[in-house]
């Protein structure tokens, strides 16, 4: 009674939705691993600082249900964001990160910058997977395997953070826990490890972002008409970021910066983008704000330092 062709559009749409959800899940798990490792590092720093007891207790008092909820919400947001807007978010953060690190000086590390890259990291992982698996015959199976591996890593990092917040103070004194003894001697290297991992991730994501954006252009003229205002917009954003204090003393400048960045991207896509891109920019704004709210305790610790 029903032909196979009548079911193909719905079947194709269903597989595309599943792929988007799996890509979003991998990106959200990557953000979860980043947050868990930063939580371990900042907790140890606050424990060694007499003035950081308030932030230490706040990180310890965070409810366990918040982390799975954060991953779930971020998965939905990353699945809804289109590849064009996700690619633009990745490129914008990469330029901003390079500019910030150069202004901080050679060898400097900015823990706050790692916290601010959460949503951009999720978009970067999603863009990288979309580009690498484009046209793959078993792309959905590959995404499922990647999501399973990412979930295992996120759960392991979450258990490590929970163990540190609960027992590190006792174990580091008694010195009978191998994990805590290892963190006692090498915990200060976590930012360096994250720096290398993020550099590799965003390098791949930037290449994928450029390729994903350029595939929508039929001619060189169309590409020039898009990249010219984009370059001007990003240059102005970087100049604005440089005029802001590098180490913010409160949460207001961080949220204000997010609004300025997304506002600039919104105006840009009004002129050279599609209408659906406007909706994706609003989703990106929600994603940025959600990640900042989730990491507010760790941001407070960074601001105090």
């Amino acid at each position: 009674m029903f032909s196979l062709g009548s079911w193909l559009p719905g079947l194709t749409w269903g597989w595309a939705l599943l792929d988007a959800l799996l890509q979003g899940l991998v990106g959200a798990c990557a953000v979860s691993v980043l947050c868990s490792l930063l939580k371990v590092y900042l907790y140890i720093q606050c424990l060694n600082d007499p003035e950081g007891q308030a932030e230490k207790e706040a990180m310890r008092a965070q409810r366990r249900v918040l982390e799975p909820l954060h991953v779930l919400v971020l998965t939905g947001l990353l699945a809804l964001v289109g590849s064009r807007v996700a690619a633009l978010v990745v490129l914008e953060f990469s330029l901003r990160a390079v500019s910030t690190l150069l202004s901080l000086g050679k060898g400097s590390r900015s823990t706050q910058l790692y916290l601010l890259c959460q949503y951009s990291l999720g978009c970067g992982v999603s863009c990288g997977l979309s580009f690498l698996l484009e046209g793959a015959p078993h792309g959905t199976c590959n995404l499922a395997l990647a999501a399973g591996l990412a979930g295992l890593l996120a759960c392991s990092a979450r258990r490590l953070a929970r163990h540190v917040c609960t027992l590190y103070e006792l174990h580091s004194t008694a010195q009978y826990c191998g994990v805590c003894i290892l963190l006692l001697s090498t915990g200060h290297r976590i930012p360096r490890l994250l720096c290398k991992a993020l550099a590799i991730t965003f390098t791949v994501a930037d290449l994928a972002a450029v390729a994903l954006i350029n595939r929508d252009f039929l001619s060189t003229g169309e590409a020039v008409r898009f990249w010219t205002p984009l370059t001007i917009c990003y240059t102005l954003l970087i100049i604005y970021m440089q005029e802001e204090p590098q180490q913010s003393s409160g949460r207001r400048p961080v949220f204000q910066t997010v609004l300025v960045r997304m506002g600039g991207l919104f105006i840009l896509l009004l002129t050279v983008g599609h209408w659906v891109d406007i909706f994706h920019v609003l989703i990106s704004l929600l994603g940025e704000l959600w990640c900042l709210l989730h990491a507010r305790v760790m941001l407070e610790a960074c601001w105090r330092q």
Side-chain angles (χ1 to χ4, degrees):
M1 294 178 62
F2 301 98
S3 63
L4 181 61
S6 63
W7 290 94
L8 286 179
L11 185 62
T12 303
W13 183 86
W15 283 117
L17 178 60
L18 179 60
D19 290 346
L21 287 174
L22 290 175
Q23 290 176 9
L25 178 59
V26 176
C29 289
V31 174
S32 178
V33 172
L34 173 67
C35 291
S36 297
L37 294 179
L38 284 175
K39 188 175 183 179
V40 170
Y41 172 75
L42 290 173
Y43 185 87
I44 295 175
Q45 294 298 313
C46 292
L47 187 64
N48 297 329
D49 186 0
E51 298 180 358
Q53 300 305 308
E55 289 81 6
K56 183 198 72 173
E57 294 300 329
M59 282 187 279
R60 177 184 292 180
Q62 283 185 323
R63 298 181 178 179
R64 294 185 179 181
V65 71
L66 291 180
E67 188 62 30
L69 178 63
H70 176 62
V71 173
L72 181 62
V73 173
L74 195 55
T75 298
L77 293 175
L78 292 174
L80 290 175
V81 173
S83 59
R84 182 199 292 261
V85 174
L88 292 177
V89 170
V90 171
L91 293 176
E92 186 272 331
F93 176 80
S94 298
L95 293 175
R96 181 160 50 97
V98 171
S99 176
T100 301
L101 292 177
L102 290 178
S103 64
L104 289 174
K106 185 177 180 181
S108 298
R109 296 291 184 267
S110 176
T111 308
Q112 178 177 328
L113 186 63
Y114 300 152
L115 289 173
L116 297 179
C117 82
Q118 294 179 72
Y119 183 74
S120 301
L121 174 62
C123 290
V125 173
S126 180
C127 285
L129 289 174
S130 178
F131 175 73
L132 294 174
L133 296 178
E134 186 176 12
H138 303 291
T140 303
C141 295
N142 294 332
L143 285 174
L145 292 175
L149 178 60
L152 290 176
L153 292 175
C155 291
S156 299
R158 193 184 312 158
R159 285 196 298 266
L160 174 63
R162 190 181 306 125
H163 176 83
V164 169
C165 292
T166 306
L167 299 172
Y168 178 81
E169 189 171 0
L170 174 63
H171 288 176
S172 60
T173 303
Q175 295 189 357
Y176 62 83
C177 175
V179 174
C180 294
I181 293 175
L182 180 64
L183 290 174
L184 185 63
S185 58
T186 62
H188 62 280
R189 298 180 182 177
I190 292 179
R192 186 181 305 174
L193 172 65
L194 291 177
C195 182
K196 294 179 180 179
L198 290 175
I200 295 174
T201 302
F202 276 102
T203 299
V204 176
D206 290 336
L207 296 176
V210 173
L212 290 175
I213 293 175
N214 285 333
R215 72 179 181 182
D216 294 332
F217 302 130
L218 300 177
S219 63
T220 306
E222 291 183 4
V224 171
R225 284 194 296 269
F226 181 85
W227 284 106
T228 300
L230 178 66
T231 304
I232 296 174
C233 179
Y234 281 179
T235 303
L236 294 176
L237 282 175
I238 291 176
I239 294 174
Y240 172 80
M241 301 303 169
Q242 290 299 322
E243 292 178 352
E244 290 292 317
Q246 293 298 336
Q247 299 295 334
S248 302
S249 59
R251 67 182 63 183
R252 183 176 178 181
V254 175
F255 287 95
Q256 182 178 353
T257 299
V258 171
L259 294 177
V260 171
R261 288 169 42 227
M262 290 302 162
L265 189 59
F266 182 86
I267 295 175
L268 173 68
L269 291 176
L270 276 178
T271 58
V272 297
H274 305 300
W275 286 108
V276 69
D277 293 333
I278 307 303
F279 174 67
H280 293 159
V281 171
L282 296 177
I283 295 177
S284 297
L285 176 60
L286 292 177
E288 291 276 7
L289 295 177
W290 174 259
C291 290
L292 290 179
L293 289 174
H294 174 261
R296 64 186 183 277
V297 176
M298 291 186 285
L299 284 171
E300 291 285 352
C302 292
W303 293 329
R304 185 192 54 76
Q305 294 177 3

